[in-house]
Amino acid sequence: MLDTLHRIVHAVNKAPNLQEALGTLVSAVREAIDCDVCSIYLVDDDTRSNVLMATVGLEDSAVGKVRLPFGRGLVGLVAERAEPVNLADAPAHPRYVRMAHTGETRYRGFLGVPIIQNRRVLGVLVVRQREEREFQDEEVTFLFTLAAQLAGAITYARASGELDALTREHQPLHRFLVGQPGHAGVAIGTAVVSFQLSDLEAVPDRPVDDPEAECARFERALAQVEADLRHLQERMADQLPEEDRALFDALLLMLRSETLVSQTEEAIHRGLWAPAALRDTISAHAQIFDEMDDPYLRERASDVRDLGRRILMHLQDDDPGLVEYPPDTILVGEEISAMQLAEVPPGRLAGVVSASGSGSSHAAILARAMGIPAVMGVSEMPVSRMQGRELIVDGYRGRVYIEPAPSVRIEYERLIAEEEALGAEVEAMRGLRSETTDGHIVPLHLNTGLINQMNGEEQAEADGVGLYRTEFPFMVRDRFPGEGEQLRNYRRVLEAFAPRPVVLRTLDIGGDKALPYFPVVEQNPFLGWRGVRISLQHPEIFLTQIRAMLRADIGLGNLQIMLPMISGVSEVDELQQLIQRAHDELLEEGHVVAMPRIGVMIEVPSAVYQAGEIARRVDFLSVGTNDLTQYLLAVDRNNPRVADLYDELHPAVLRALRDITAAAGEFGRPVSVCGELAGNPLATILLIGLGVNSLSMSAGSLLRVKWVVRSISRTRARQITQVALRMEDVGQVRRFMEGTLEEMGLGGLIRPGK
Ligand code: PEP
Ligand code: MG
């Protein structure tokens, strides 16, 4: 059954459109469970009916025509209950209706399972049997699994309008793909697919002007792979027996096979660039092997794919053209990385859409730092088909419109105009002090990691830098930067803000921030080798960084150092000793360095419970609510599937903050918040009320947060916070804070979405 399942899923995924996917599925299911009819109905909300979309066993002519109004028939019952209905004798059930025009006789056995995505019923998959038949448990779960696979394809077809085109004449108006808000804001622009060339599946379609030259490029790549294979074969001569080395002959034959070469060249002549032509040939080729019953031959599919990747690598080396970025580029990819964002020339990046990740992944944080609207985790997006298409990115609600209808475009253009108007009100905050109506100062600091991306106005507005993520400069290189390189980098930030404080955080790699030249492969990277855990085991990396920081501060005196991912006091003690050592050694070498203020990030639950002991040892605490939320709630901050559960306004997070400020207060240490929560205007009042001393956020949030600070007294903020702290559910807290901002006339600051 599992094998059959894999084969069906594969065939369905390969279908070029939804209609063919559905057709393939119904035929395969009927054969697999040996029944008389298999049909799929899809929910059509506009006409409030379930529409027959594919069938084997009923009349073909009924497809697209037979509609069961909601609430009618057994299909309706499955959709209402969102549960399977399994009946040995369906006509005996009170909800049974016999449908005209389908050629239906009184089929008795009935099994219907809902097709569900994100708790929403999208349709019903039905099998029928002429005789009485109660379907077995494994048949039910088999259909369940298939229905779950189908849900993604249906969601995409809905979003792209394909589904409407199938069920109705008129074109859709409001269809979109759903992801997670990455950074608030709206962008209208042109998709540019960013991809890693070694990932064949991710190669996007691109047109080619000179097919002859492109074919020659392809031929060169083939010749290079051939040379590589022969070289490998020779090298293996001493290690592999003759018969195993024959594998290379098979690969060489495959490489020069008529199908692989001529199919690719034909596709190039049809106007596709070589990587995409290759992608299609390899995929078709591999599929033939995938579908074979013999397990040995099925394995050959991976050889074909491997060959494809090798050819692609050489095409990449030989790639003549750089990617062109139009002025309104919307960067689209399976997993957009910091490097890919940085590759877009300044001023051309309008939006970001990533098929994976979520609002709190580092790509989103980077987009926020750059003020670019972003939507993350759009898992249904067919990335390879997006190149050059017009998109609307709604970073408030986490929506992406592909080639939107004119009415949608107009609506969004209006929203952009409204934003600009709100922007003017927010602008009025520029240059004013961040102080409450009763005169309490709340310093607002910047989170950054890319000093180059910041303009002078933004730098002037902030009271300092509350979090400089040093890993970004590490990520865009192909090796660890040396002391001198780091020194110059840190010096630029310290100088730009002096005498205002700048908090440099020591390297926090691991988790979702991998360095290409320092691979860490783990099953649970967020619970693994991350942040100071790496620093403690690689003191040479840590000491180099600290030396660069201390030297960068000479003559300025505004450096503060912050340690990420601390889970206990011994880590603090050891790292402080290392910092002291770097300091003493530099003095010995004749550098007149000073000992900076040292702080610790509170972002691991154990550190919340030891906040007092930690505070006693250092000069300040800064709460990393991004990680603290993920660890307190046990919700991966990058996983779109659980992104609904990830909410920094959760009562547990608020109470942790209360305990941290209380513990630090006992030792007279200030507490700042530098997670995304600090930049959310909905949380500003609570953070003031909880006794947080300063806030650190992306440049784009600064004026908005200042507006809230200047609209409330600290006394009132404390009262509101006391009420919120008694709330039991995050939804309650959110609604309460939204209501509070509305009452204060600050409703415009509420980000739509969650
Ligand atoms: C945090 O965890 O809240 C934080 C600010 O650090 P990062 O997002 O870089 O992990
Ligand atoms: Mg963190």
Side-chain angles (χ1 to χ4, degrees):
M1 209 62 155
L2 195 61
D3 246 16
T4 318
L5 193 76
H6 280 164
R7 236 157 329 122
I8 298 179
V9 168
H10 187 73
V12 168
N13 286 343
K14 285 286 161 216
N17 55 46
L18 183 69
Q19 190 66 73
E20 285 196 29
L22 299 182
T24 308
L25 189 108
V26 287
S27 306
V29 168
R30 184 169 76 160
E31 193 184 323
I33 59 177
D34 193 19
C35 56
D36 294 316
V37 175
C38 176
S39 312
I40 294 174
Y41 294 79
L42 294 187
V43 171
D44 182 4
D45 287 318
D46 294 351
T47 59
R48 301 189 47 74
S49 57
N50 296 306
V51 192
L52 177 68
M53 292 300 296
T55 183
V56 274
L58 300 181
E59 292 289 335
D60 280 347
S61 59
V63 170
K65 302 217 173 54
V66 167
R67 287 169 181 275
L68 274 166
F70 286 173
R72 288 258 297 159
L74 291 171
V75 169
L77 187 67
V78 177
E80 275 158 44
R81 288 192 184 163
E83 267 179 357
V85 172
N86 188 359
L87 302 169
D89 186 17
H93 193 282
R95 281 287 291 265
Y96 175 81
V97 267
R98 185 164 162 249
M99 280 175 292
H101 318 300
T102 60
E104 171 177 343
T105 52
R106 286 176 70 85
Y107 291 109
R108 305 189 74 174
F110 175 100
L111 168 62
V113 302
I115 304 169
I116 297 180
Q117 174 104 332
N118 288 338
R119 290 192 251 174
R120 181 169 167 206
V121 178
L122 304 176
V124 178
L125 176 58
V126 180
V127 289
R128 317 278 301 267
Q129 187 78 30
R130 203 161 270 125
E131 306 78 37
E132 270 197 21
R133 168 171 176 183
E134 184 165 343
F135 290 91
Q136 304 299 304
D137 273 358
E138 15 346 327
E139 289 164 335
V140 178
T141 50
F142 176 73
L143 288 200
F144 253 146
T145 318
L146 285 175
Q149 290 289 334
L150 205 52
I154 297 172
T155 307
Y156 171 67
R158 229 174 226 282
S160 66
E162 186 190 335
L163 195 55
D164 299 78
L166 291 175
T167 54
R168 241 166 298 149
E169 280 90 75
H170 69 264
Q171 278 302 304
L173 294 180
H174 296 287
R175 298 292 184 225
F176 49 83
L177 290 171
V178 181
Q180 292 297 318
H183 178 49
V186 172
I188 302 179
T190 314
V192 174
V193 176
S194 188
F195 67 105
Q196 311 239 316
L197 260 175
S198 56
D199 182 0
L200 198 58
E201 294 286 320
V203 169
D205 286 349
R206 270 187 202 150
V208 67
D209 295 333
D210 184 351
E212 288 308 329
E214 196 67 358
C215 281
R217 194 158 87 84
F218 174 58
E219 177 51 43
R220 276 197 300 280
L222 288 181
Q224 280 159 330
V225 175
E226 189 172 345
D228 292 350
L229 287 174
R230 290 200 190 285
H231 180 66
L232 279 175
Q233 192 174 26
E234 274 167 35
R235 245 196 11 214
M236 289 291 153
D238 307 335
Q239 298 160 40
L240 279 183
E242 175 79 33
E243 62 274 20
D244 286 347
R245 265 182 291 140
L247 166 74
F248 288 98
D249 292 325
L251 286 174
L252 283 163
L253 272 180
M254 216 184 261
L255 181 72
R256 288 295 179 181
S257 71
E258 179 62 17
T259 23
L260 196 148
V261 179
S262 57
Q263 264 182 28
T264 309
E265 286 178 352
E266 273 165 30
I268 295 174
H269 280 292
R270 283 199 303 273
L272 216 50
W273 72 324
L278 176 72
R279 176 201 66 205
D280 291 349
T281 316
I282 293 291
S283 153
H285 228 58
Q287 193 184 347
I288 296 172
F289 286 108
D290 273 334
E291 283 168 1
M292 292 187 174
D293 283 322
D294 182 308
Y296 174 79
L297 287 176
R298 262 210 313 274
E299 273 303 304
R300 300 285 69 76
S302 63
D303 291 340
V304 175
R305 292 199 178 92
D306 182 51
L307 211 51
R309 273 192 294 272
R310 284 169 187 277
I311 304 171
L312 187 64
M313 254 160 51
H314 285 292
L315 280 172
Q316 174 186 22
D317 291 345
D318 194 26
D319 190 355
L322 288 170
V323 182
E324 280 194 33
Y325 295 99
D328 56 352
T329 294
I330 302 213
L331 203 61
V332 170
E334 288 293 344
E335 186 165 15
I336 297 284
S337 71
M339 246 175 291
Q340 289 167 333
L341 279 179
E343 264 164 23
V344 184
R348 298 208 167 187
L349 186 61
V352 174
V353 183
S354 182
S356 60
S358 76
S360 37
S361 55
H362 282 96
I365 290 175
L366 198 57
R368 220 163 293 150
M370 295 163 79
I372 305 292
V375 179
M376 312 295 292
V378 191
S379 49
E380 268 88 40
M381 178 171 61
V383 175
S384 62
R385 285 196 268 149
M386 301 295 283
Q387 180 70 23
R389 300 178 82 170
E390 189 193 37
L391 300 184
I392 294 180
V393 179
D394 177 346
Y396 289 113
R397 277 168 286 210
R399 293 180 180 176
V400 179
Y401 293 80
I402 305 168
E403 277 154 12
S407 59
V408 175
R409 202 175 204 286
I410 290 166
E411 210 171 290
Y412 272 97
E413 279 164 353
R414 191 175 49 76
L415 201 73
I416 292 174
E418 268 176 28
E419 275 218 319
E420 281 167 6
L422 175 71
E425 277 189 83
V426 170
E427 273 303 303
M429 294 292 128
R430 199 173 285 287
L432 301 179
R433 267 160 49 128
S434 172
E435 96 184 296
T436 57
T437 55
D438 50 358
H440 173 69
I441 304 274
V442 184
L444 302 185
H445 295 146
L446 279 181
N447 285 358
T448 178
L450 293 173
I451 192 75
N452 297 343
Q453 304 273 356
M454 230 187 289
N455 63 37
E457 251 188 353
E458 284 168 350
Q459 289 182 22
E461 192 53 34
D463 296 306
V465 172
L467 167 64
Y468 183 84
R469 290 185 168 96
T470 54
E471 47 280 356
F472 288 146
F474 278 73
M475 282 157 93
V476 293
R477 283 186 173 68
D478 51 10
R479 59 180 168 76
F480 280 109
E483 185 175 319
E485 279 170 283
Q486 292 190 49
L487 186 152
R488 283 189 290 282
N489 192 5
Y490 304 149
R491 180 82 188 174
R492 266 208 317 236
V493 199
L494 292 170
E495 261 176 354
F497 285 87
R500 291 166 290 169
V502 171
V503 179
L504 300 184
R505 178 174 73 181
T506 62
L507 199 59
D508 184 20
I509 48 170
D512 66 338
K513 286 172 291 188
L515 300 182
Y517 49 88
F518 190 72
V520 178
V521 179
E522 293 178 315
Q523 286 228 315
N524 293 301
F526 275 113
L527 299 181
W529 212 39
R530 217 202 131 176
V532 294
R533 300 171 184 183
I534 296 182
S535 304
L536 283 167
Q537 286 182 25
H538 279 280
E540 75 288 4
I541 301 176
F542 185 74
L543 285 168
T544 306
Q545 190 174 33
I546 299 294
R547 285 173 60 93
M549 288 178 177
L550 296 178
R551 287 177 60 195
D553 188 41
I554 293 175
L556 294 173
N558 58 337
L559 166 72
Q560 307 194 5
I561 293 180
M562 184 155 77
L563 307 169
M565 280 296 290
I566 293 288
S567 60
V569 291
S570 62
E571 290 167 340
V572 182
D573 293 340
E574 281 182 55
L575 291 165
Q576 277 184 313
Q577 279 163 19
L578 285 175
I579 296 173
Q580 188 67 50
R581 189 174 123 194
H583 171 262
D584 296 350
E585 284 172 6
L586 282 168
L587 279 184
E588 276 168 29
E589 291 167 28
H591 298 286
V592 276
V593 291
M595 196 62 187
R597 280 162 55 84
I598 295 175
V600 159
M601 286 192 78
I602 304 293
E603 49 185 351
V604 176
S606 58
V608 175
Y609 292 101
Q610 292 205 290
E613 290 103 308
I614 294 172
R616 181 156 57 80
R617 289 168 159 79
V618 293
D619 301 300
F620 65 93
L621 300 184
S622 187
V623 188
T625 45
N626 305 341
D627 278 313
L628 186 58
T629 305
Q630 100 163 331
Y631 295 128
L632 276 179
L633 307 186
V635 178
D636 178 347
R637 62 194 264 186
N638 287 326
N639 183 343
R641 209 180 291 237
V642 286
D644 278 352
L645 295 173
Y646 183 97
D647 198 323
E648 296 162 316
L649 287 175
H650 195 288
V653 179
L654 299 183
R655 291 174 202 177
L657 277 161
R658 175 193 61 192
D659 295 351
I660 295 165
T661 52
E666 281 183 33
F667 299 94
R669 305 289 193 259
V671 175
S672 118
V673 171
C674 63
E676 295 304 306
L677 186 67
N680 183 352
L682 217 50
T684 310
I685 295 173
L686 296 175
L687 295 176
I688 297 172
L690 284 163
V692 171
N693 304 91
S694 59
L695 304 173
S696 191
M697 65 203 73
S698 307
S701 306
L702 219 127
L703 295 177
R704 292 165 186 254
V705 169
K706 194 196 283 190
W707 196 3
V708 183
V709 174
R710 291 182 57 86
S711 307
I712 193 145
S713 69
R714 185 160 65 159
T715 315
R716 181 82 190 111
R718 284 182 176 151
Q719 288 162 351
I720 292 171
T721 305
Q722 284 316 311
V723 179
L725 278 171
R726 283 196 293 275
M727 292 179 174
E728 296 179 357
D729 176 64
V730 63
Q732 242 179 320
V733 177
R734 197 163 268 284
R735 284 189 296 278
F736 174 59
M737 291 319 297
E738 284 173 357
T740 307
L741 286 197
E742 295 276 3
E743 273 169 30
M744 292 166 64
L746 299 177
L749 291 175
I750 301 169
R751 296 170 182 164
K754 232 184 208 164

